[in-house]
């Protein structure tokens, strides 16, 4: 599974990136088993898996900080790994149907947790918030969104 993240408007600021996207897109399409997962960060995050496009409407905070995408990437990596492990455990337990891990659900949860962590950090640090403030709120956001520790 490939994950591609970008910020809306990035290609207009960096034209050379715009020229490389078709080649990247072609490479991503070559993975026929799971296909690409594209996460477009913004006021509302967009998720595309090659079949459908989804919108995550979690709000987050009015402050965007450098490193927020790195936090999203880490949370997304954890949830996609857990999705894969859950599928493998089900198959070892005797599940007969051929299924793919639900990477879109993992991405939606990751986007929501990241925005919730941003909102929690902003409530404490306001405009002085930095990425490490968000990072320290990820466990609390996880508990609020997922309901487990």
């Amino acid at each position: 599974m490939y994950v591609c993240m970008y910020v809306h408007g990035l290609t207009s600021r960096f034209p050379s990136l715009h020229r490389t996207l078709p080649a990247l897109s072609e490479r991503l399409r070559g993975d026929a088993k799971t296909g690409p997962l594209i996460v477009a960060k913004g006021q509302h995050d967009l998720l595309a898996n090659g079949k459908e496009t989804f919108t995550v409407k979690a709000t987050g905070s009015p402050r965007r900080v450098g490193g927020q995408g790195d936090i999203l990437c880490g949370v997304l990596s954890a949830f996609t790994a857990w999705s894969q492990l859950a599928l493998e455990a089900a198959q070892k337990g005797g599940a007969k149907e051929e299924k793919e891990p639900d990477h879109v659900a993992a991405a939606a949860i990751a986007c929501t947790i990241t925005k919730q962590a941003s909102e929690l950090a902003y409530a404490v640090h306001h405009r002085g918030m930095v990425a490490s403030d968000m990072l320290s709120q990820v466990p609390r956001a996880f508990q609020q969104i997922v309901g487990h520790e």
Side-chain angles (χ1 to χ4, degrees):
M1 193 247 340
Y2 296 97
V3 175
C4 176
M5 291 178 52
Y6 80 101
V7 178
H8 291 293
L10 187 63
T11 55
S12 65
R13 287 183 280 165
F14 300 98
S16 63
L17 180 61
H18 181 70
R19 289 190 300 272
T20 62
L21 286 178
L24 176 62
S25 154
E26 192 63 36
R27 180 175 174 201
L28 293 176
R29 253 181 282 165
D31 186 8
K33 185 174 181 183
T34 58
L37 174 63
I38 298 173
V39 179
K41 306 182 319 175
Q43 181 178 4
H44 298 286
D45 299 327
L46 300 176
L47 311 174
N49 65 359
K51 299 173 189 169
E52 300 173 272
T53 301
F54 303 89
T55 302
V56 179
K57 293 185 177 181
T59 54
S61 76
R63 169 102 167 100
R64 299 291 179 254
V65 298
Q68 193 163 337
D70 297 319
I71 293 169
L72 173 58
C73 226
V75 176
L76 177 57
S77 296
F79 275 95
T80 54
W82 291 339
S83 176
Q84 181 67 41
L85 290 172
L87 178 62
E88 290 171 8
Q91 290 171 340
K92 284 182 183 174
K96 301 284 184 210
E97 61 188 76
E98 287 283 323
K99 249 183 120 174
E100 294 177 10
D102 194 348
H103 295 307
V104 172
I109 293 169
C111 290
T112 304
I113 286 174
T114 302
K115 287 193 173 188
Q116 181 69 11
S118 174
E119 194 172 292
L120 292 168
Y122 186 82
V124 174
H125 302 281
H126 307 286
R127 292 275 175 202
M129 177 180 81
V130 294
S132 59
D133 299 325
M134 278 184 61
L135 188 58
S136 68
Q137 294 296 329
V138 168
R140 187 170 165 211
F142 177 91
Q143 189 173 17
Q144 289 178 353
I145 302 300
V146 179
H148 301 285
E149 289 189 26

